Amino acid sequence: MSFYEDRIFPHVMEWGARPFRRSCAEVMAYAQGRVLEIGVGTGANLRNYPEAVTEVIGIEPSDAMLQIAHERLQQTKSAFRWELQQADARSLPFETASFDTVVAILVFCTIPDPERAAAEAFRALKPGGRLVFFEHVVSPDSGLARWQHRINPTWRKLACGCEINRDTRSLFERAGFRFENIKAWQHPKIVSIAASVIAGVGVRP
Ligand SMILES: C[S@@+](CC[C@H](N)C(=O)[O-])C[C@H]1O[C@@H](n2cnc3c(N)ncnc32)[C@H](O)[C@@H]1O
């Protein structure tokens, strides 16, 4: 890990994602029971858990991010039990059908093999369990999408693996999720190249 990845990027990422946070908080109302949050990062989303949540296990591969998330959780009074673990969403160290909710906030843009991670999220959920998500994705506007594809290689380097041109909606469908609800829009407060977003709930049938 480089100095940029460890010391600078966590703060850049938090600052850059701030305009999204209200929408993230809204979708989090669908989380309940025993929750797995994949790619918790610095823990910016952990304040958004509703009362229906009893336990949150957050996983994250980056040591630097985990440390910030840990400090943040220790300073906050949470109504739920929590635990943070260093782990990879592509190979979850949890039993099949062991969670009521999997939370994915701005993370399927970054996981190197998102197909595997989606399959793992599906496996970890109980039948009827929910994938609660908010993700920035490829634009449905072909002109904007062309620019996203052009800029993506540079963006990926600057944003430590994040890609702006992923079709995460299709990815979730291929993994077997059925959408209970899904909303797609162009976020007004973000630079348009990264402003196409989806939010909603996918169910493991
Ligand atoms: C854009 S950040 C978002 C972090 C956090 N969800 C938030 O809303 O602030 C993407 C996160 O995905 C994490 N990530 C990257 N690869 C991952 C993987 N294979 N498994 C789990 N998380 C991963 C990154 O370390 C980073 O913390």
Side-chain angles (χ1 to χ4, degrees):
M1 289 287 156
S2 66
F3 181 80
Y4 173 69
E5 275 179 296
D6 277 358
R7 300 276 165 228
I8 299 175
F9 182 67
H11 305 287
V12 172
M13 188 271 294
E14 261 211 54
W15 175 81
R18 269 173 53 191
F20 286 142
R21 293 298 172 196
R22 185 189 291 257
S23 307
C24 298
E26 280 169 16
V27 79
M28 286 299 294
Y30 293 100
Q32 48 115 9
R34 184 169 192 248
V35 178
L36 170 65
E37 180 169 340
I38 57 174
V40 289
T42 56
N45 184 54
L46 293 164
R47 69 173 87 99
N48 293 330
Y49 279 96
E51 273 178 18
V53 166
T54 52
E55 181 181 3
V56 177
I57 299 182
I59 64 141
E60 166 60 48
S62 154
D63 247 341
M65 298 264 197
L66 261 185
Q67 205 177 320
I68 298 172
H70 204 266
E71 281 161 20
R72 183 171 250 155
L73 266 169
Q74 276 181 326
Q75 286 161 13
T76 317
K77 223 173 136 203
S78 318
F80 49 84
R81 284 190 302 280
W82 61 268
E83 191 186 321
L84 296 177
Q85 285 188 27
Q86 191 165 36
D88 189 325
R90 293 169 296 180
S91 167
L92 292 172
F94 305 109
E95 285 184 13
T96 297
S98 53
F99 291 93
D100 301 295
T101 309
V102 171
V103 169
I105 303 290
L106 298 168
V107 68
F108 275 94
C109 53
T110 305
I111 297 170
D113 182 351
E115 300 273 349
R116 260 177 68 190
E120 277 292 86
F122 190 89
R123 181 187 69 75
L125 277 172
K126 297 174 185 172
R130 287 168 162 170
L131 172 70
V132 172
F133 59 88
F134 178 93
E135 296 286 348
H136 66 87
V137 295
V138 68
S139 172
D141 176 303
S142 59
L144 192 49
R146 232 184 343 266
W147 275 105
Q148 288 180 314
H149 298 316
R150 269 186 211 138
I151 289 170
N152 195 53
T154 309
W155 183 282
R156 189 196 300 125
K157 278 190 197 129
L158 293 173
C160 295
C162 168
E163 306 207 326
I164 45 175
N165 61 350
R166 291 192 177 174
D167 183 358
T168 304
R169 179 190 181 128
S170 304
L171 172 82
F172 289 159
E173 281 171 337
R174 284 197 300 280
F177 290 104
R178 301 248 174 86
F179 293 118
E180 187 176 292
N181 63 66
I182 181 164
K183 199 174 137 195
W185 74 105
Q186 186 76 3
H187 202 288
K189 292 193 177 153
I190 287 277
V191 53
S192 58
I193 202 78
S196 300
V197 293
I198 57 170
V201 177
V203 175
R204 174 185 171 163

